[in-house]
Amino acid sequence: MRGAKSAKWVVGAIVVALAATACGGGKSDGGSDAKGAVDPNGIFSIELGEPEKPLYTGDTMESNGSAVMAGLFSTLVDYKADGSLEMINAESVTTTDSKTWTVKLKPGWTFHDGTPVTSKSYVDAWNWNANINNAQGLSSWFADIKGFEKLHPEAEGAKPSSDKLDGLKIVDDNTFTIELTGAVPAFGHKLAYIVFAPLPESFYKDSKAAGQKPVGNGPYKFESWDHKKQIKIVRYDAYKGPNKAKNGGVIFKNYTTLEAAYEDLKSGNVDVLRQIGPKDLPVYRQDLGERAVDQAYSAIQSIAVAFYSDQWKKPKPVDPKVIQGLSMAIDRATITKTVLQGTREPATGWVAKGVLGFQENAAGDITKFDPAKAKELIKAGGGVPNNKISIQFNADGGHKEWVDAVCNSITQATGVQCVGDGKPDFQADLTARKSKQVKSLYRSGWVLDYPVNSNFISDLFRTGAAGNQGDFSNKELDARIKAADGAATLDESVKLHQAIEKDLVNYMPSIPLWYYKVNAGYSEKVSGVAYGQDGDPILTGVEVKK
């Protein structure tokens, strides 16, 4: 089970946010350690950076914030390792035409303030998150629902003409219906996304305060947030879900470098790491032994293009051939083998492994290292403006080494000058992206939100999509994505998205680099540490030794 949470930009070079589920498609350390008795109320700690923003279900789309939100909130559904849905807060989610969906809730669920979770809790939350007045970064996820344009008009400066999505109807306390503008066969899987979580009545009384002290319906409740130091969540004993916590809670400890976190792990000052920095990759298996983690999961690292920047926009839009050439100038095989110590696999397309619709070599030759062809394509496309590029990255995520290697590869192969543009932390990196201050290119890591290829195409390259921070836009591609999203069946939708992926080489919205692996570890104080399909440590399954 994946663990419902928000879409996330990956903070680190290795792994991403932390899920709050009881089981997973990933690898475990084999359960409790017989040598140490378990304290069911024990608290354990995890390495984390400061979340980018206040903790809102509708505005948390990076891995630091979603790590915390995954523990605090549960959604209607989750999905298993085989991609099939598992009911969490929902008793059932049904449809006969993929356009009208009926949701029945499991009765007896409560928020952490003791108030009941009802149909209204979901409908009100979705209406609030979709409303343009509330400026939620994930509002586009409600665009499938009838009446979205009334709450979120496209025209700049326009005010909403309604405060309710027409497609949401409350039947009773435990039943509501969702009418979409058209068939969306993957909609049931999308409901695993944290933007679709419920909110309590107390949220609307003071939404600003709620962003600092969230009240959720998940296996843990919020206790404290000491900014840029730590966040603490504790087990919610009245939780009704299948993924009840086997521990007393979690402390998310802020670190500014992966190296510092690793040293603390070795000395017993932090219990679970989400990632190991490149500097320690050669030694962490030897250092940690059986407590070292090395496994594949469904995420991809790319270099995205800031299409809004002067470099790529003026005096005319960049020719995709230039980006194709830059891609073919990157020696992925050598960089993943040396700098990244074999902890990555060179990507051959834009969709991560392990999701429905993955296909080998979807990008054709453009991910193959070929300096001669790279120079030829760049020249045919009119050249790189100013013959210089930069790659923005967050310096706290272990990216500098591979960014430098990518830049060296590009420069040596083509003569194009390439430099890294390091931001001090993930917050600064994301702020530059969202305020459209990226000068040239930026590193982009994306992990599945639901196990269907549309999550890596529609949610990243559709005009206006929340994950489309580089302002890539193509009307022809938008029309094809819309048709694929609204296909009659999930199988047909997947096949249409596969065809789109193979054509992305003609648009080059980004440069695929490599598929992620979980390279992490944990302390002697904990056991039962497992990682799911999304690469996340599963918080609720961790057991703390006395």
Side-chain angles (χ1 to χ4, degrees):
M1 186 166 63
R2 159 200 181 265
K5 59 181 180 294
S6 68
K8 65 210 67 66
W9 294 108
V10 185
V11 60
I14 317 300
V15 73
V16 289
L18 304 170
T21 55
C23 56
K27 171 183 174 184
S28 171
D29 73 343
S32 300
D33 186 345
K35 296 180 181 178
V38 171
D39 178 3
N41 297 314
I43 305 290
F44 70 99
S45 59
I46 287 182
E47 154 271 322
L48 189 77
E50 174 77 358
E52 177 199 11
K53 293 181 176 183
L55 298 173
Y56 291 117
T57 60
D59 205 28
T60 301
M61 62 178 301
E62 46 78 32
S63 58
N64 290 331
S66 63
V68 184
M69 297 294 273
L72 297 176
F73 289 88
S74 287
T75 45
L76 293 166
V77 302
D78 209 327
Y79 54 77
K80 303 176 185 177
D82 63 2
S84 62
L85 288 181
E86 177 171 6
M87 299 297 113
I88 304 298
N89 197 179
E91 185 74 46
S92 63
V93 176
T94 57
T95 184
T96 58
D97 59 2
S98 295
K99 182 179 179 181
T100 300
W101 300 70
T102 299
V103 175
K104 292 186 179 296
L105 301 178
K106 294 175 181 176
W109 276 53
T110 58
F111 288 104
H112 301 151
D113 60 6
T115 59
V117 178
T118 66
S119 298
K120 189 173 186 295
S121 307
Y122 279 93
V123 170
D124 287 353
W126 297 7
N127 285 331
W128 195 89
N129 282 343
N131 195 311
I132 195 170
N133 287 341
N134 297 322
Q136 297 297 284
L138 297 172
S139 58
S140 65
W141 280 74
F142 298 97
D144 294 328
I145 300 176
K146 185 179 178 181
F148 174 74
E149 71 284 351
K150 295 180 182 179
L151 276 75
H152 207 100
E154 289 187 8
E156 187 174 349
K159 301 294 183 182
S161 58
S162 176
D163 60 357
K164 294 180 174 60
L165 291 162
D166 295 339
L168 300 181
K169 304 293 182 186
I170 296 173
V171 178
D172 57 42
D173 279 352
N174 293 315
T175 310
F176 68 98
T177 60
I178 310 162
E179 183 182 354
L180 309 180
T181 56
V184 181
F187 189 75
H189 286 80
K190 289 187 177 185
L191 293 175
Y193 197 16
I194 202 164
V195 73
F196 294 107
L199 292 170
E201 287 293 332
S202 60
F203 174 88
Y204 309 100
K205 295 175 182 177
D206 191 345
S207 59
K208 185 175 181 180
Q212 298 296 321
K213 298 180 179 180
V215 175
N217 66 326
Y220 298 93
K221 60 183 179 180
F222 177 87
E223 181 164 297
S224 63
W225 185 357
D226 189 357
H227 284 275
K228 296 195 175 182
K229 292 183 179 178
Q230 69 174 40
I231 297 174
K232 185 176 182 180
I233 61 177
V234 296
R235 185 181 63 231
Y236 180 51
D237 289 327
Y239 181 62
K240 301 291 185 181
N243 50 323
K244 294 183 179 180
K246 295 181 179 180
N247 51 71
V250 187
I251 295 174
F252 299 95
K253 297 179 68 173
N254 287 175
Y255 287 90
T256 56
T257 68
L258 298 181
E259 291 77 17
Y262 184 66
E263 290 303 315
D264 262 10
L265 177 71
K266 291 193 296 181
S267 60
N269 292 322
V270 67
D271 298 311
V272 178
L273 294 191
R274 303 176 304 152
Q275 53 199 319
I276 302 290
K279 172 180 171 291
D280 296 308
L281 286 176
V283 298
Y284 89 102
R285 295 179 185 88
Q286 181 179 341
D287 288 346
L288 303 180
E290 293 183 353
R291 294 180 289 109
V293 177
D294 182 357
Q295 73 174 64
Y297 73 105
S298 299
I300 188 169
Q301 181 83 78
S302 303
I303 296 175
V305 183
F307 287 97
Y308 56 77
S309 66
D310 288 346
Q311 178 171 30
W312 304 117
K313 190 175 183 179
K314 298 176 181 178
K316 61 180 181 179
V318 63
D319 189 318
K321 289 187 178 69
V322 174
I323 305 172
Q324 291 172 359
L326 292 174
S327 177
M328 296 191 76
I330 300 169
D331 188 352
R332 294 165 178 79
T334 297
I335 294 171
T336 54
K337 182 179 180 180
T338 58
V339 178
L340 295 170
Q341 295 290 312
T343 60
R344 306 290 185 283
E345 180 182 347
T348 62
W350 285 267
V351 175
K353 287 192 167 186
V355 305
L356 195 60
F358 170 79
Q359 48 192 347
E360 292 281 1
N361 204 32
D365 290 338
I366 66 101
T367 57
K368 297 177 182 177
F369 180 54
D370 188 335
K373 185 66 174 178
K375 286 188 284 189
E376 178 185 321
L377 284 166
I378 290 172
K379 182 177 179 181
V384 172
N386 301 320
N387 202 47
K388 184 176 182 179
I389 58 174
S390 61
I391 302 174
Q392 180 179 299
F393 66 96
N394 53 300
D396 63 343
H399 301 292
K400 185 180 187 303
E401 290 84 353
W402 71 255
V403 169
D404 286 346
V406 166
C407 274
N408 289 337
S409 183
I410 289 173
T411 299
Q412 290 175 16
T414 67
V416 174
Q417 296 179 56
C418 179
V419 295
D421 181 12
K423 302 302 177 185
D425 54 35
F426 200 35
Q427 277 187 310
D429 177 35
L430 288 171
T431 297
R433 295 194 215 174
K434 293 180 179 181
S435 61
K436 304 194 185 308
Q437 297 299 312
V438 178
K439 301 179 183 72
S440 182
L441 308 169
Y442 62 94
R443 76 123 204 130
S444 171
W446 192 258
V447 63
L448 86 169
D449 297 301
Y450 54 96
V452 184
N453 58 354
S454 59
N455 186 221
F456 290 82
I457 298 174
S458 179
D459 296 322
L460 283 176
F461 305 134
R462 186 182 74 252
T463 301
N468 187 353
Q469 294 184 336
D471 274 8
F472 171 77
S473 182
N474 183 279
K475 291 182 179 179
E476 177 188 359
L477 204 60
D478 283 343
R480 292 182 63 190
I481 290 173
K482 183 177 181 180
D485 286 344
T489 66
L490 183 58
D491 184 60
E492 184 181 347
S493 176
V494 167
K495 289 179 180 178
L496 290 171
H497 277 295
Q498 285 180 318
I500 291 170
E501 186 190 10
K502 286 188 174 181
D503 282 346
L504 288 179
V505 66
N506 298 314
Y507 302 94
M508 294 302 295
S510 65
I511 298 172
L513 290 179
W514 38 75
Y515 306 118
Y516 275 101
K517 290 179 71 179
V518 179
N519 297 99
Y522 49 94
S523 75
E524 296 177 342
K525 177 184 171 184
V526 294
S527 62
V529 180
Y531 292 76
Q533 184 185 357
D534 57 1
D536 296 351
I538 300 167
L539 300 183
T540 52
V542 176
E543 294 181 320
V544 182
K545 300 173 189 177
K546 290 184 177 178

